[in-house]
Amino acid sequence: MSFNINSFQLNGRRALITGSGKGIGLELARGLGAAGAIVVINDRNREKAQAVAAQLREEGISAETAVFDVTDRAQLFAAINTFEASSGPIEILVNNAGIQRRAPLEDYEANDWHELMRVNLDGVFHVSQAVARHMIARGRGKIINICSVQSELARPSIAPYAASKGAVKMLTKGMCAEWACHGIQANGLAPGYFATEMNRALVDDQAFSQWLCKRTPAGRWGKVEELCGAAVFLASPASDFINGQTIFVDGGLTSVV
């Protein structure tokens, strides 16, 4: 069978994006929606999720909501199971929800460590497990885990974040090992340095921005919309034989010294 360009389309496929009330998650929702997906906006706050979904619908994107906290296993399982029963199958899952806590490693507070791991790592495990049980029953599904250049590289003050994103990269491989036989493709999408709310302090730091632009072959910060092409690819039938991989969208940062 010859290649069909329509294999990049997501028409009518339902995509849940965790932490999609703002930032990268919201932009990924826009990108998947532009490719035809029904996007499911997730946030802990119901009013915020509904407002974002309404905004996307005004932009011509089909949007629904699923309200839960990725750190609350009982709550998210109940929300996902109810959504599947009442709204329809989640065929694409994007594990985007994440936080950052910066401090020197020797002074890093234990509470900050545990909070970061609950969101960045435990949340990926719990949400993926809840969604994958339905995907396994159907024999198909796409999981995209948002990794980071810190899945490969470390910097001072963010060692726990790097540890969490390195673990997500390996969890992605584990999902491939366990779930590929059920028709599920699990891959990682690893952004480089993008101008978002999470790293506003770095964007505003002139010295850091100058260093980053010199360090990155592309010579600039990334634009959040530049993540959408890879996300659409990994969510689409065009990537059906790609599994357990991590695609770095970083302007070449991880390719050079």
Side-chain angles (χ1 to χ4, degrees):
M1 189 171 83
S2 60
F3 173 72
N4 187 343
I5 192 65
N6 291 327
S7 64
F8 286 92
Q9 294 297 313
L10 304 177
N11 295 335
R13 299 191 179 208
R14 190 171 275 101
L16 168 63
I17 306 99
T18 65
S20 48
K22 61 182 179 180
I24 286 175
L26 175 54
E27 196 60 34
L28 291 176
R30 281 197 174 97
L32 296 176
I38 303 166
V39 298
V40 184
I41 299 301
N42 162 254
D43 195 88
R44 293 178 298 179
N45 183 286
R46 184 174 302 279
E47 290 72 24
K48 182 176 181 180
Q50 290 174 340
V52 170
Q55 175 188 340
L56 291 176
R57 286 193 289 268
E58 289 179 1
E59 297 173 14
I61 293 171
S62 298
E64 301 168 341
T65 61
V67 179
F68 58 81
D69 184 335
V70 300
T71 68
D72 188 330
R73 180 178 172 86
Q75 181 192 83
L76 71 87
F77 261 80
I80 288 169
N81 290 340
T82 298
F83 184 93
E84 282 263 350
S86 62
S87 298
I90 297 168
E91 296 158 287
I92 302 159
L93 168 63
V94 182
N95 282 304
N96 166 77
I99 61 173
Q100 176 67 284
R101 297 286 183 269
R102 292 184 173 87
L105 188 57
E106 67 272 19
D107 298 323
Y108 209 90
E109 294 290 340
N111 287 340
D112 287 340
W113 168 276
H114 291 303
E115 180 187 18
L116 187 144
M117 292 298 171
R118 279 195 298 270
V119 177
N120 293 6
L121 179 56
D122 296 355
V124 174
F125 165 68
H126 294 310
V127 176
S128 296
Q129 192 178 65
V131 173
R133 289 178 180 179
H134 295 280
M135 290 179 171
I136 289 169
R138 289 188 289 268
R140 65 185 184 278
K142 299 279 187 174
I143 298 175
I144 303 170
N145 296 325
I146 302 304
C147 299
S148 169
V149 291
Q150 267 73 54
S151 296
E152 293 288 340
L153 306 172
R155 290 193 66 251
S157 82
I158 60 167
Y161 180 84
S164 73
K165 290 300 184 178
V168 170
K169 178 186 174 185
M170 289 308 301
L171 181 57
T172 302
K173 291 181 180 292
M175 291 177 184
C176 168
E178 299 257 0
W179 296 339
C181 61
H182 298 292
I184 297 172
Q185 292 85 51
N187 292 289
L189 177 59
Y193 283 89
F194 286 75
T196 65
E197 297 170 34
M198 181 182 288
N199 57 22
R200 173 54 55 188
L202 295 179
V203 176
D204 293 339
D205 185 331
Q206 186 176 3
F208 181 85
S209 284
Q210 289 176 346
W211 171 85
L212 177 66
C213 291
K214 291 179 180 178
R215 174 70 176 79
T216 304
R220 62 177 175 84
W221 286 83
K223 303 171 186 177
V224 288
E225 61 268 23
E226 291 176 309
L227 290 166
C228 293
V232 169
F233 170 60
L234 292 177
S236 74
S239 62
D240 278 354
F241 203 55
I242 297 175
N243 218 332
Q245 304 304 306
T246 299
I247 295 178
F248 288 85
V249 184
D250 63 359
L253 180 65
T254 55
S255 296
V256 300
V257 295

